[in-house]
Amino acid sequence: AHGRLETLLALPLPRWRWFAAQAAVAAGMILAGGLVAGASAWAGTVASGEQLEFADAIAAGANVVPGALVVLGLGLLAFGTVPRATAVVAYGYVGAAFILEVFGSVLDLPAALLGLSVFHHVPLVPAVDAQPATTAALLAVALTTGVLGALGFARRDLTFA
């Protein structure tokens, strides 16, 4: 694939359009993954003889999508501005957020620090009700970072590692 992106972007294709298409595919896969996870959880629960409403299982799967989109947005922002650090930024954030979520309450960390973890903002649906305001805030962060990444990508030179 090395060298093909330059050829594609030399054509009359705006960089932001290419970037948006890649981001849309990734976001679609995240949504599909969340829905498949919910459906699979429902199938496993029913197969084990327990009761779980299909709609509740799908809601639980869809509930994780906004948080995953935030991570995608951070990755897009990194790719658009500092492409060689994309993996470090995205995976580093996931790792740090996981550590904050797992050890934060045990270590009695401040709420402001715990709030940096995307996992801290995802309610445990269907055990508790979904939080539409939180979902909207996560989607706004994901969209903002994705758009900033697209703007950065449209302005930067293409480089390869």
Side-chain angles (χ1 to χ4, degrees):
H2 179 72
R4 293 185 184 169
L5 185 57
E6 295 112 328
T7 305
L8 179 66
L9 293 178
L11 299 173
L13 172 70
R15 286 182 175 197
W16 68 265
R17 187 179 301 163
W18 178 86
F19 190 88
Q22 305 308 306
V25 168
M29 295 305 293
I30 288 171
L31 177 59
L35 297 177
V36 167
S40 299
W42 172 82
T45 303
V46 171
S48 69
E50 299 296 323
Q51 295 295 320
L52 177 63
E53 294 293 323
F54 184 74
D56 289 341
I58 294 296
N63 185 56
V64 300
V65 170
L69 291 175
V70 167
V71 175
L72 173 63
L74 288 173
L76 293 172
L77 177 60
F79 184 72
T81 56
V82 285
R84 293 182 181 174
T86 300
V88 172
V89 170
Y91 290 117
Y93 175 74
V94 170
F98 178 76
I99 289 169
L100 277 174
E101 191 63 22
V102 171
F103 297 110
S105 59
V106 173
L107 298 174
D108 198 29
L109 295 176
L113 187 58
L114 292 174
L116 295 175
S117 169
V118 70
F119 302 119
H120 195 70
H121 300 286
V122 178
L124 301 174
V125 173
V128 298
D129 291 336
Q131 303 294 322
T134 302
T135 300
L138 289 173
L139 291 173
V141 169
L143 182 63
T144 301
T145 53
V147 167
L148 290 174
L151 292 173
F153 181 75
R155 293 175 179 250
R156 75 172 171 86
D157 285 337
L158 298 180
T159 57
F160 294 95

